[in-house]
Amino acid sequence: LHRRQFAIIAGIMQTLFIVLFAKYVKYIDPLDDSRRVYSGTDYPLFQDVHLMIFVGFGFLMAFLKRYGFSAVSVNLLLSAFVIQFAMLLRGFLTVAFSETGLFSIGIPEMISAESSCAAVLITMGVLLGRLTPVQFLLLAFFETLLNVVVEHFVFNYLHVSVLSSKFPKIYREFQVNDSGRSLSVHTFGAYFGLAAAMVGHKKNVMEMDEHGGIHHSDLFSMIGTLLLWVFFPSFNAAIQEPEDARHRAIMNTYLAMASSTVTTFMVSSCVDTLGRFNMIHIQSSTLAGGVAIGKSSRVPTYSSNTYSGSAANAVLYPYHAVIVGVVAAILSVIGHAWISPRLEKSLHLFDTCGVHNLHGMPGILAGMLSIGFAYFYEPESYGKTLYHIYPYWIGGELNGDRENVSQAQYQAIGLLVILITAIIGGLLTGCILKIKIWNQVDDPDFPHGEMNYYAQSDVNFLSKYKHA
Amino acid sequence: LHRRQFAIIAGIMQTLFIVLFAKYVKYIDPLDDSRRVYSGTDYPLFQDVHLMIFVGFGFLMAFLKRYGFSAVSVNLLLSAFVIQFAMLLRGFLTVAFSETGLFSIGIPEMISAESSCAAVLITMGVLLGRLTPVQFLLLAFFETLLNVVVEHFVFNYLHVSVLSSKFPKIYREFQVNDSGRSLSVHTFGAYFGLAAAMVGHKKNVMEMDEHGGIHHSDLFSMIGTLLLWVFFPSFNAAIQEPEDARHRAIMNTYLAMASSTVTTFMVSSCVDTLGRFNMIHIQSSTLAGGVAIGKSSRVPTYSSNTYSGSAANAVLYPYHAVIVGVVAAILSVIGHAWISPRLEKSLHLFDTCGVHNLHGMPGILAGMLSIGFAYFYEPESYGKTLYHIYPYWIGGELNGDRENVSQAQYQAIGLLVILITAIIGGLLTGCILKIKIWNQVDDPDFPHGEMNYYAQSDVNFLSKYKHA
Amino acid sequence: LHRRQFAIIAGIMQTLFIVLFAKYVKYIDPLDDSRRVYSGTDYPLFQDVHLMIFVGFGFLMAFLKRYGFSAVSVNLLLSAFVIQFAMLLRGFLTVAFSETGLFSIGIPEMISAESSCAAVLITMGVLLGRLTPVQFLLLAFFETLLNVVVEHFVFNYLHVSVLSSKFPKIYREFQVNDSGRSLSVHTFGAYFGLAAAMVGHKKNVMEMDEHGGIHHSDLFSMIGTLLLWVFFPSFNAAIQEPEDARHRAIMNTYLAMASSTVTTFMVSSCVDTLGRFNMIHIQSSTLAGGVAIGKSSRVPTYSSNTYSGSAANAVLYPYHAVIVGVVAAILSVIGHAWISPRLEKSLHLFDTCGVHNLHGMPGILAGMLSIGFAYFYEPESYGKTLYHIYPYWIGGELNGDRENVSQAQYQAIGLLVILITAIIGGLLTGCILKIKIWNQVDDPDFPHGEMNYYAQSDVNFLSKYKHA
């Protein structure tokens, strides 16, 4: 029965999904809602994000020789699982569902579902090589559940419950398409994973990997890095509107990526006594700019059923984006070079893919920046877009009462709520996964010769060549 | 002369193409026909399909260590050959050509040409490692010829010959852009290849491949799998219209892919006594949902010069798409695990890439589904789109007389015609390729040391390091 | 200090960029200029180009086993550097800057910046494995500087200085978005690199690479080849307008790619005594059609602040595109098989990636074609688009006085100016890089055992495993 654990749990989940889809989900009628159809605008952006999630994240984690295939396959499994689950969860939280008992899905819901995948995949990066597939599946289940609920809470109940009575039409029209989700993706995913890693699974997988020169695995990993690099502007812009916010999200991300790449090479060469580059830095820190700018360029708008600015801000000047990229890269390389080794030694906190340095710290930087920009930017400098960015700013049509200080406070509260829930959720999930009823990865210190790692724990990607 | 065979045949073909392009082809004038220009809609979809054909299919077949480079290169050669040939063939079948002696090409013709590539590449998957490049080129020639003609017959002469007199304007306007081609791609390609494999070439290439652990070749193969995975919604939606059909094609494919992936992992773990996953299943069966839904979400419309529903239907409810994905994945994994080994033993039918399990059976499933949906769906549930899906349904402006039963019969006839022609065509082509005048692959059982496989049959990808 | 050279120079550059971005650059306001916003049209094309530059070029150069990771990383570094630098340089040359001291950037500026990367990456292909990162950075600096200035001169001062007074509004509106840049990309990049290679660095890196069978590195290289293959139509069409020019650029490139691929296999098989294919030809010459058609399908228009036809022409008939592909492929394969070995022997000119055969000669072919088409095409056959292609043609609204002969002369002058500047610039840059103050690659003939190549010259991608 232990060997059938994965099949049973996956089977139950998939059956449940079928039932829920059958009872509660319908397609939006694109003839009724012109914003929801295939529109030359959203679908290409969706495809960029889709490619990033399924190919980019998978190959990014393929740098460990012994887990390359596992990384790519489990990435695929979890993503396919999460997109169904997240679509259902978000649907149950819509107004349409509470009113009619049905909700409808379209391209924007697909984009949202992919963001939920990103959070789970980031968490997976922390724990790669230390969980069995059945554990990963449970992890994805709990994390997605918590993530969607927290995100809903932050964007909807924290301070905008007036909305539904006030703008019922808009509310209903756009109730599912939401933006400002970046905070819940990078920061949540990273700290959830780190907290789960704290609880158990204290093994350093890296050291078990074979040493040697530059491997092909590093080139595979570069496929992932480059795909993320290339599509980060789309990722940050996919759920932005109106046009000027989307445009700014693209440009800010582009500039931050460029400056953070040059800075990564520079700092990586500095921290090495011989002035050489470290390939781990190149594979990861070059992306830090996109993570850090991600949140601060986010603009939650009408479409998100949320008038919160909690995770949102706008970088208005190109050089701010360039500077954010530089700072994020410095932070990330320093994290790889000095902070991670210290965490391993003092806290026994092992982070297989260095997620803390790519998503964790740059994510918090982004949160800080969103507080700072809200505080320091003159309201006038936003021009026409002020109320798109901060709908509750004083003088807007929502009768908001916020100005620099209060908006900055809201940003800070949002960041804290996300961080705290992620850590508590991660700790709890880590405990659940430690329960002995689940398949566990065997002690990797045990000499296992040519046997595949997964082979010892009932899972193997090589069933062509079975070991007895 | 034997050694120049490939160059001579390729040279003749390419010269012929130049002459035909010079005499009969012109570009459409985008200023005259607004639907044909670059339009933010069709070109991005074309690019998705283009990436899928040239990169996705090539790398999908790269999992055999000894044929990785061959797979990718021959994939490129055949595709480049077929897109020219298919564009010409389709053009000769247009009304515009029969009336004016000229036909024009644009983005939609490029999309159609890529579908023809897909059929040939699927066939190539069955025969990989067992044909020389010159044989592959001939195979592509015959298969494309037959495929385009059959497709034309099914969609135009089977029951819609009244059309041209009735709606001459529409007819002429859209005469080349056609949809509903999925049936002719997956099912045709798979059974054509299997029939050709029956005739000769009875060798098991797989066993000749080196055994061992997880190879980098499997990661290359995953690049192909994931690219197909990511772009399948675009592939199924590229030639759909109007907007609501395209939207539904995207959504249905997306859900079917997700559910078929989770199911593949589940069933793969079930069929293994130790509960492990089989990497072949992951590389292939995860895509089965897209194949099976492909056809049934197809909506041939005005634009296809065809009012046939022969290969078409529409999945109207999300949970139907989810279920189709589950069933297709089960079928496909069972095919890999039990049916393929039996076919090899009893019929000596070797299928290098397991095409029967990915394209063959799920393709037939799709055909069945299109019959079933036509039969069971209430006409009212289609809403406004009924006549887009079944233009000859009773009460439409084409004075059709079909209802559930008769439409289902037409669907069945279409499936049978495609299947029978594919098998006969494959058998004949297999016989032609066996003729001794063509370069043949030598007996691979002969010990060949470090010599490259292709080196023995006048073809080698390594001319830098020639063997005397 | 020698070991900190890279970090210091990169640091100075990036700081300079921040200062310049802060003082002179702002985002365009998409609400003011509808052509500049995210528009379902330009952004997807930008993404195609972006993927091509960052992933395609990087992996194309990954075929050398010892330099695979270097190729991909340095590609990323240089691109991230050049996009910032080129955006600034182009901005300083705009009318808006000279009038207001500020310039604005948007999606079209991002596309232009990526073209400048392409030129540098082509040059990098010539010198791969023979320069240290600090030398590559300097190379990128000088080449981009010269390239942007020459391009500006050719398109603006050669003969269109009347413009600004005549059409000030258009001038200002579109002053940055320019097209017709292909000439400055392929031809400039290739001959700049070859000239730089002439001066010093006379080592054959290829021979140092391990011999053997087909490597995985060749499959990585095919990823690059195929991505370039797939996105070449977008690359050639990205900055085209109006619609009919963009449409023709897509179609011409598509057909030229297809015919050049079939021809490459054919000719490659011909030049081998045993009729085998050479993988180098497949990795490179299959792309020659896109290079050669690139220029001749280019249409510089109003948007380019230029009414020059210097690098531009239009292929009007499909079969011309097919023929261009065939000729380019023949030229390119012959280059690989016969010209490159001779250049190495007689001039000691080593071209690591065979750039001369892919970008150099097909680029010159394209220049010739643009002369030829201007000379031979009847003006009437252009139809409505004549003045889009040759705005100064007699009878247009710019009071031009050109006809076939004079337009052809202008095309020729443009080609010569680009060629001469590239060669002189390359020679000078080569001399600068030889100065002993920069890190130099050590003598590779020296036996270096398992030491990494870069390790000897203060640079290493493996700092995880440091050599003392």
Side-chain angles (χ1 to χ4, degrees):
Chain A
L1 194 69
H2 227 243
R3 286 169 179 171
R4 297 290 167 242
Q5 205 171 66
F6 174 84
I8 291 166
I9 290 175
I12 291 171
M13 296 281 195
Q14 187 62 51
T15 313
L16 189 71
F17 291 165
I18 292 175
V19 173
L20 295 176
F21 269 105
K23 290 193 75 160
Y24 303 118
V25 191
K26 63 188 170 68
Y27 289 139
I28 58 118
D29 185 344
L31 302 178
D32 287 351
D33 179 356
S34 66
R35 290 188 58 267
R36 300 305 211 62
V37 293
Y38 171 88
S39 73
T41 300
D42 282 343
Y43 185 68
L45 281 173
F46 163 74
Q47 273 298 357
D48 292 352
V49 174
H50 200 38
L51 196 61
M52 202 169 156
I53 297 293
F54 280 84
V55 192
F57 272 97
F59 278 94
L60 186 62
M61 294 187 276
F63 67 96
L64 291 172
K65 277 173 76 175
R66 300 179 60 213
Y67 302 104
F69 196 76
S70 307
V72 176
S73 321
V74 173
N75 185 92
L76 176 61
L77 168 68
L78 295 187
S79 303
F81 174 79
V82 171
I83 56 186
Q84 297 180 75
F85 189 43
M87 263 189 182
L88 289 166
L89 279 179
R90 285 229 176 70
F92 292 140
L93 293 171
T94 56
V95 182
F97 179 74
S98 67
E99 286 174 358
T100 66
L102 277 176
F103 60 91
S104 55
I105 53 174
I107 309 266
E109 283 70 31
M110 290 161 65
I111 298 180
S112 302
E114 304 266 322
S115 326
S116 300
C117 293
V120 172
L121 300 179
I122 288 166
T123 303
M124 177 187 151
V126 180
L127 297 162
L128 183 65
R130 290 178 283 164
L131 295 182
T132 54
V134 74
Q135 286 176 308
F136 273 123
L137 202 65
L138 291 167
L139 175 83
F141 178 81
F142 291 117
E143 179 169 1
T144 305
L145 191 64
L146 185 64
N147 189 16
V148 171
V149 170
V150 169
E151 173 197 292
H152 187 72
F153 173 77
V154 166
F155 294 140
N156 290 285
Y157 291 98
L158 202 57
H159 38 70
V160 287
S161 48
V162 233
L163 185 65
S164 60
S165 61
K166 186 127 203 259
F167 287 101
K169 201 174 128 280
I170 290 171
Y171 193 41
R172 229 161 267 137
E173 216 165 52
F174 307 128
Q175 78 274 31
V176 199
N177 175 21
D178 62 292
S179 56
R181 192 166 290 139
S182 174
L183 186 68
S184 54
V185 170
H186 298 290
T187 318
F188 189 93
Y191 287 97
F192 189 96
L194 291 166
M198 276 298 288
V199 178
H201 323 291
K202 303 199 176 180
K203 281 145 200 164
N204 193 341
V205 183
M206 289 285 270
E207 283 176 7
M208 295 159 39
D209 208 50
E210 285 173 50
H211 297 289
I214 291 172
H215 301 300
H216 279 131
S217 4
D218 290 314
L219 274 175
F220 280 114
S221 183
M222 283 305 285
I223 297 176
T225 303
L226 291 175
L227 286 179
L228 291 186
W229 209 100
V230 163
F231 291 117
F232 234 115
S234 299
F235 187 71
N236 282 343
I239 44 182
Q240 299 289 354
E241 55 173 3
E243 278 294 276
D244 65 333
R246 177 171 267 171
H247 186 268
R248 218 157 40 213
I250 290 172
M251 299 294 302
N252 279 328
T253 310
Y254 187 69
L255 290 175
M257 299 298 286
S259 70
S260 107
T261 300
V262 174
T263 308
T264 298
F265 278 85
M266 190 182 82
V267 181
S268 178
S269 158
C270 278
V271 298
D272 181 75
T273 45
L274 296 177
R276 300 168 302 184
F277 305 132
N278 185 318
M279 65 186 169
I280 300 283
H281 303 166
I282 293 168
Q283 284 161 357
S284 140
S285 303
T286 49
L287 301 166
V291 174
I293 203 76
K295 219 164 354 181
S296 27
S297 70
R298 292 265 142 175
V299 183
T301 62
Y302 298 84
S303 64
S304 68
N305 180 19
T306 131
Y307 291 80
S308 145
S310 58
N313 207 316
V315 174
L316 296 178
Y317 305 104
Y319 78 105
H320 285 182
V322 175
I323 292 174
V324 169
V326 170
V327 175
I330 294 174
L331 206 62
S332 176
V333 174
I334 288 177
H336 279 296
W338 290 320
I339 298 177
S340 279
R342 250 144 258 209
L343 289 178
E344 291 191 10
K345 207 175 282 177
S346 58
L347 295 178
H348 291 286
L349 181 60
F350 295 104
D351 179 358
T352 309
C353 300
V355 162
H356 185 241
N357 310 307
L358 174 52
H359 300 280
M361 290 192 301
I364 289 191
L365 171 66
M368 302 291 201
L369 287 171
S370 81
I371 300 170
F373 286 128
Y375 190 80
F376 287 111
Y377 273 177
E378 289 298 312
E380 298 80 51
S381 59
Y382 290 101
K384 283 166 274 187
T385 58
L386 173 65
Y387 295 102
H388 286 135
I389 300 173
Y390 305 118
Y392 273 96
W393 203 275
I394 202 158
E397 52 181 34
L398 291 171
N399 290 322
D401 58 349
R402 301 187 185 167
E403 25 64 70
N404 295 53
V405 176
S406 57
Q407 185 64 48
Q409 285 167 345
Y410 276 102
Q411 306 290 123
I413 293 168
L415 177 61
L416 280 177
V417 169
I418 297 269
L419 257 180
I420 292 167
T421 359
I423 291 172
I424 295 175
L427 290 171
L428 289 176
T429 307
C431 292
I432 294 173
L433 298 183
K434 262 184 109 175
I435 300 171
K436 290 291 175 206
I437 56 167
W438 313 119
N439 286 331
Q440 303 282 339
V441 163
D442 292 350
D443 185 354
D445 295 334
F446 189 82
H448 47 266
E450 63 164 11
M451 302 256 289
N452 185 277
Y453 186 69
Y454 274 123
Q456 298 182 307
S457 38
D458 284 5
V459 182
N460 187 357
F461 290 104
L462 287 172
S463 57
K464 267 203 311 192
Y465 314 107
K466 293 176 191 169
H467 305 283
Chain B
L1 195 68
H2 226 241
R3 286 170 178 171
R4 298 287 167 244
Q5 207 172 64
F6 174 83
I8 291 166
I9 289 176
I12 291 171
M13 296 282 195
Q14 187 60 53
T15 313
L16 189 71
F17 290 165
I18 292 175
V19 173
L20 295 176
F21 268 104
K23 289 194 74 160
Y24 302 119
V25 191
K26 63 190 170 67
Y27 289 139
I28 58 115
D29 185 344
L31 302 178
D32 286 351
D33 179 356
S34 67
R35 289 187 60 268
R36 302 304 211 62
V37 291
Y38 171 88
S39 73
T41 300
D42 282 343
Y43 184 68
L45 281 172
F46 162 74
Q47 274 297 356
D48 292 352
V49 174
H50 199 38
L51 195 62
M52 203 172 155
I53 298 292
F54 279 86
V55 191
F57 272 97
F59 278 95
L60 187 62
M61 294 187 276
F63 67 96
L64 290 172
K65 277 174 76 175
R66 298 180 60 213
Y67 301 104
F69 196 76
S70 307
V72 176
S73 321
V74 173
N75 185 92
L76 176 62
L77 167 69
L78 295 188
S79 302
F81 174 79
V82 170
I83 56 186
Q84 297 180 75
F85 189 43
M87 262 189 183
L88 289 167
L89 279 178
R90 285 229 176 71
F92 292 139
L93 293 171
T94 56
V95 182
F97 179 74
S98 68
E99 285 175 358
T100 66
L102 277 175
F103 61 91
S104 54
I105 54 174
I107 309 268
E109 283 71 30
M110 290 160 65
I111 298 179
S112 302
E114 304 266 322
S115 327
S116 299
C117 293
V120 172
L121 299 179
I122 288 165
T123 304
M124 177 186 152
V126 181
L127 298 161
L128 183 65
R130 288 178 283 163
L131 294 183
T132 55
V134 73
Q135 285 175 310
F136 273 124
L137 202 65
L138 291 166
L139 175 84
F141 178 82
F142 290 117
E143 179 169 1
T144 306
L145 191 64
L146 186 64
N147 189 18
V148 171
V149 170
V150 169
E151 171 197 292
H152 187 73
F153 173 77
V154 166
F155 294 139
N156 290 285
Y157 291 99
L158 202 58
H159 37 71
V160 287
S161 49
V162 231
L163 184 65
S164 61
S165 60
K166 186 126 203 262
F167 286 101
K169 198 174 130 281
I170 290 170
Y171 193 43
R172 229 162 266 137
E173 216 165 52
F174 308 127
Q175 78 273 31
V176 200
N177 175 21
D178 61 292
S179 59
R181 191 167 289 139
S182 174
L183 185 68
S184 53
V185 170
H186 298 291
T187 319
F188 190 93
Y191 287 97
F192 190 96
L194 290 166
M198 278 296 290
V199 179
H201 324 290
K202 304 199 176 181
K203 279 145 199 164
N204 192 341
V205 183
M206 288 286 270
E207 284 175 5
M208 295 160 38
D209 209 50
E210 285 171 51
H211 297 292
I214 291 172
H215 301 300
H216 278 131
S217 4
D218 290 314
L219 272 176
F220 281 114
S221 184
M222 283 304 285
I223 297 176
T225 304
L226 291 176
L227 286 179
L228 291 186
W229 209 99
V230 163
F231 292 115
F232 233 115
S234 298
F235 186 71
N236 282 343
I239 45 184
Q240 299 289 355
E241 54 173 5
E243 279 294 278
D244 66 332
R246 177 171 268 173
H247 186 269
R248 220 158 38 215
I250 290 173
M251 298 294 302
N252 280 327
T253 309
Y254 186 70
L255 290 175
M257 299 298 285
S259 70
S260 107
T261 300
V262 174
T263 309
T264 297
F265 278 85
M266 190 183 83
V267 182
S268 180
S269 157
C270 278
V271 298
D272 181 75
T273 46
L274 296 177
R276 298 168 302 183
F277 305 130
N278 184 318
M279 66 185 168
I280 300 282
H281 303 166
I282 293 167
Q283 283 160 358
S284 139
S285 303
T286 50
L287 301 166
V291 174
I293 203 76
K295 219 163 357 181
S296 28
S297 69
R298 292 266 142 175
V299 183
T301 61
Y302 297 83
S303 65
S304 70
N305 181 19
T306 129
Y307 292 79
S308 145
S310 57
N313 207 315
V315 174
L316 295 178
Y317 305 104
Y319 78 106
H320 285 182
V322 175
I323 293 175
V324 169
V326 171
V327 175
I330 294 174
L331 206 62
S332 177
V333 174
I334 289 177
H336 280 296
W338 291 319
I339 299 178
S340 280
R342 251 144 257 208
L343 288 178
E344 291 191 11
K345 207 176 282 178
S346 58
L347 295 179
H348 293 285
L349 181 59
F350 295 103
D351 180 357
T352 309
C353 301
V355 162
H356 185 239
N357 309 308
L358 173 53
H359 300 280
M361 290 192 303
I364 288 190
L365 171 65
M368 303 291 202
L369 287 171
S370 81
I371 300 169
F373 286 127
Y375 189 81
F376 287 111
Y377 273 176
E378 289 298 312
E380 298 80 51
S381 58
Y382 290 101
K384 282 166 274 186
T385 59
L386 173 65
Y387 296 101
H388 286 137
I389 300 172
Y390 306 118
Y392 273 96
W393 203 275
I394 202 159
E397 53 181 33
L398 291 171
N399 290 323
D401 59 350
R402 302 188 184 166
E403 27 64 70
N404 295 55
V405 177
S406 57
Q407 185 65 47
Q409 286 167 344
Y410 276 102
Q411 306 290 124
I413 294 169
L415 177 61
L416 281 178
V417 169
I418 297 270
L419 257 181
I420 292 168
T421 0
I423 291 172
I424 295 175
L427 290 172
L428 288 177
T429 306
C431 292
I432 293 173
L433 298 183
K434 261 185 110 174
I435 301 171
K436 290 290 175 205
I437 56 167
W438 313 118
N439 286 332
Q440 304 282 339
V441 163
D442 291 352
D443 185 355
D445 295 334
F446 189 82
H448 46 266
E450 62 164 11
M451 299 256 292
N452 185 278
Y453 186 70
Y454 274 122
Q456 298 182 310
S457 36
D458 284 5
V459 183
N460 187 357
F461 290 106
L462 286 172
S463 56
K464 267 203 308 191
Y465 314 106
K466 293 178 192 169
H467 306 281
Chain C
L1 195 69
H2 227 242
R3 285 170 179 172
R4 298 289 167 243
Q5 206 171 66
F6 174 84
I8 291 166
I9 290 175
I12 291 171
M13 297 282 194
Q14 187 61 52
T15 312
L16 189 70
F17 290 166
I18 292 176
V19 173
L20 295 176
F21 268 105
K23 290 193 74 160
Y24 302 119
V25 191
K26 62 190 170 66
Y27 289 139
I28 58 119
D29 184 345
L31 303 177
D32 287 350
D33 179 356
S34 66
R35 291 188 59 266
R36 301 303 211 63
V37 293
Y38 171 86
S39 74
T41 300
D42 282 343
Y43 185 69
L45 282 172
F46 162 74
Q47 272 298 357
D48 292 352
V49 173
H50 200 38
L51 196 61
M52 203 171 156
I53 297 292
F54 279 85
V55 191
F57 272 97
F59 278 94
L60 185 63
M61 294 187 276
F63 67 96
L64 290 172
K65 276 174 77 174
R66 300 181 59 213
Y67 301 105
F69 196 76
S70 307
V72 176
S73 321
V74 173
N75 184 91
L76 176 62
L77 168 68
L78 295 187
S79 303
F81 174 79
V82 171
I83 56 186
Q84 297 180 74
F85 189 43
M87 263 190 182
L88 288 167
L89 279 179
R90 285 228 176 73
F92 292 140
L93 293 171
T94 56
V95 181
F97 179 74
S98 67
E99 285 175 357
T100 66
L102 278 175
F103 61 92
S104 54
I105 53 174
I107 309 269
E109 283 71 30
M110 289 161 66
I111 299 180
S112 302
E114 304 266 322
S115 325
S116 299
C117 292
V120 171
L121 299 179
I122 289 166
T123 303
M124 177 186 151
V126 180
L127 296 162
L128 184 65
R130 289 179 283 164
L131 294 183
T132 55
V134 74
Q135 286 175 310
F136 272 124
L137 202 65
L138 292 167
L139 175 84
F141 178 81
F142 291 117
E143 179 168 0
T144 306
L145 191 65
L146 186 64
N147 189 15
V148 171
V149 170
V150 168
E151 173 197 291
H152 187 73
F153 173 77
V154 165
F155 294 141
N156 290 285
Y157 292 98
L158 202 59
H159 38 72
V160 286
S161 50
V162 230
L163 186 63
S164 60
S165 60
K166 187 128 203 259
F167 287 101
K169 198 174 131 279
I170 290 171
Y171 192 43
R172 229 162 265 138
E173 217 165 50
F174 307 128
Q175 78 273 32
V176 198
N177 175 22
D178 61 293
S179 58
R181 192 167 290 139
S182 174
L183 185 68
S184 54
V185 170
H186 298 291
T187 318
F188 189 92
Y191 286 97
F192 189 95
L194 291 166
M198 276 297 288
V199 178
H201 323 292
K202 304 199 176 181
K203 280 145 199 163
N204 193 340
V205 183
M206 289 284 271
E207 283 175 7
M208 296 159 38
D209 209 50
E210 285 171 51
H211 297 290
I214 291 173
H215 301 301
H216 278 132
S217 5
D218 291 313
L219 272 177
F220 281 114
S221 183
M222 283 305 284
I223 296 176
T225 303
L226 291 175
L227 285 179
L228 291 185
W229 209 98
V230 163
F231 292 115
F232 233 115
S234 299
F235 187 71
N236 283 343
I239 43 183
Q240 299 288 355
E241 56 172 4
E243 279 293 276
D244 64 332
R246 177 171 267 173
H247 186 269
R248 219 158 38 214
I250 290 172
M251 299 294 302
N252 279 328
T253 309
Y254 187 69
L255 290 175
M257 298 299 285
S259 70
S260 107
T261 300
V262 174
T263 309
T264 297
F265 278 86
M266 190 182 83
V267 181
S268 179
S269 158
C270 277
V271 297
D272 181 76
T273 45
L274 296 176
R276 300 169 301 184
F277 305 130
N278 184 318
M279 65 185 169
I280 300 284
H281 303 166
I282 292 167
Q283 283 161 357
S284 138
S285 304
T286 49
L287 301 166
V291 174
I293 203 78
K295 219 163 357 181
S296 27
S297 69
R298 293 265 142 176
V299 182
T301 62
Y302 296 83
S303 65
S304 69
N305 180 17
T306 129
Y307 290 79
S308 144
S310 57
N313 207 315
V315 174
L316 295 178
Y317 305 104
Y319 78 105
H320 285 183
V322 176
I323 293 174
V324 168
V326 170
V327 175
I330 295 175
L331 206 62
S332 176
V333 175
I334 288 177
H336 279 297
W338 290 319
I339 298 177
S340 280
R342 250 144 259 206
L343 288 178
E344 290 191 10
K345 207 176 282 176
S346 58
L347 295 179
H348 291 284
L349 182 60
F350 295 103
D351 180 358
T352 309
C353 301
V355 162
H356 185 240
N357 309 308
L358 174 52
H359 300 280
M361 291 192 302
I364 289 190
L365 171 66
M368 303 290 202
L369 287 171
S370 82
I371 301 169
F373 286 127
Y375 189 81
F376 288 110
Y377 273 177
E378 289 299 311
E380 297 81 50
S381 59
Y382 290 101
K384 283 166 273 187
T385 59
L386 174 64
Y387 296 102
H388 286 136
I389 300 173
Y390 305 118
Y392 274 97
W393 202 275
I394 203 159
E397 52 182 33
L398 291 171
N399 291 322
D401 59 350
R402 301 188 185 167
E403 25 66 68
N404 297 52
V405 177
S406 57
Q407 185 65 47
Q409 286 167 345
Y410 276 103
Q411 306 289 124
I413 293 169
L415 177 61
L416 281 178
V417 169
I418 297 270
L419 258 181
I420 291 167
T421 359
I423 292 172
I424 295 175
L427 290 172
L428 289 176
T429 306
C431 293
I432 293 172
L433 298 183
K434 261 184 109 174
I435 301 172
K436 290 290 176 207
I437 57 166
W438 313 119
N439 287 331
Q440 303 282 338
V441 164
D442 291 350
D443 185 354
D445 295 334
F446 189 82
H448 47 267
E450 62 164 12
M451 301 257 289
N452 184 277
Y453 186 69
Y454 274 123
Q456 299 182 309
S457 36
D458 285 6
V459 183
N460 187 358
F461 289 105
L462 286 172
S463 56
K464 267 204 310 192
Y465 314 107
K466 292 177 191 169
H467 304 283

